[in-house]
Amino acid sequence: MDTLGLHFNSLSWIPLLTIISVVCINTWWSSVDASTVPQERFRGFKATPNSSISSFQPLLSDSTGNYSLGFLRVNKNQLNLVVLHIQSSEQLRSARMARLPRWADPTQLFFNGSLVLSDPHTGVLWSTQTDGDRVSWDPILSGYTPSSTPIQIQVKYI
């Protein structure tokens, strides 16, 4: 099993509207069944932003259901890949990218051994640069606490 420490940027560079979006997530998330968000994704997984979602699209949950990795809508037409604390709607970390991709169908997150965020216009925007068969995230297994810097995304071999 390979473990990759991903480092996410602080909130300092994210526009104020992102923070406002996070505050709105709490109402939306209460209507979502956290048990429907997978705790693991396998090679071949693909996700694109869902146009009907107004704030946060969860893609991967931890085993406790307290945290989720997913797309956060920013400024109505952009997205960021973030880790969100579900109960508080607090954005804990975000992926380091030179620019935020569009919240549109050509943007996709896929797992081909690496977890990759890309769009056809820009190419790869962010990647774990790993080679595994499945990806999961568990703050208990990685020793995550809200004050810790890296979040461990685990890329595993079956």
Side-chain angles (χ1 to χ4, degrees):
M1 168 173 52
D2 285 351
T3 300
L4 176 68
L6 296 178
H7 300 276
F8 291 82
N9 283 342
S10 70
L11 292 175
S12 63
W13 65 273
I14 297 175
L16 179 60
L17 290 175
T18 301
I19 296 168
I20 293 168
S21 296
V22 172
V23 171
C24 296
I25 291 170
N26 194 27
T27 303
W28 170 82
W29 188 263
S30 64
S31 66
V32 173
D33 181 3
S35 66
T36 63
V37 180
Q39 295 177 17
E40 192 170 55
R41 296 291 189 168
F42 294 92
R43 194 179 282 259
F45 161 75
K46 290 183 183 180
T48 57
N50 182 336
S51 62
S52 68
I53 293 177
S54 62
S55 55
F56 182 71
Q57 180 179 342
L59 302 171
L60 187 64
S61 178
D62 74 310
S63 62
T64 66
N66 291 328
Y67 302 93
S68 187
L69 173 74
F71 296 143
L72 178 68
R73 192 180 282 251
V74 179
N75 298 328
K76 293 186 182 181
N77 62 358
Q78 294 178 306
L79 71 82
N80 201 352
L81 185 63
V82 302
V83 173
L84 190 74
H85 181 256
I86 303 307
Q87 286 81 10
S88 69
S89 300
E90 180 183 354
Q91 179 182 329
L92 301 174
R93 302 287 189 267
S94 61
R96 286 186 205 168
M97 294 180 274
R99 71 167 196 79
L100 297 178
R102 295 179 336 153
W103 186 284
D105 191 25
T107 301
Q108 68 175 347
L109 181 71
F110 61 90
F111 183 63
N112 63 1
S114 290
L115 200 55
V116 179
L117 183 65
S118 70
D119 74 32
H121 306 292
T122 308
V124 174
L125 297 158
W126 176 87
S127 172
T128 58
Q129 300 178 353
T130 54
D131 184 26
D133 295 317
R134 58 187 175 177
V135 62
S136 64
W137 176 62
D138 197 322
I140 295 168
L141 293 176
S142 67
Y144 176 76
T145 62
S147 61
S148 66
T149 303
I151 290 177
Q152 302 288 321
I153 301 290
Q154 297 175 354
V155 177
K156 304 173 185 177
Y157 298 94
I158 297 175

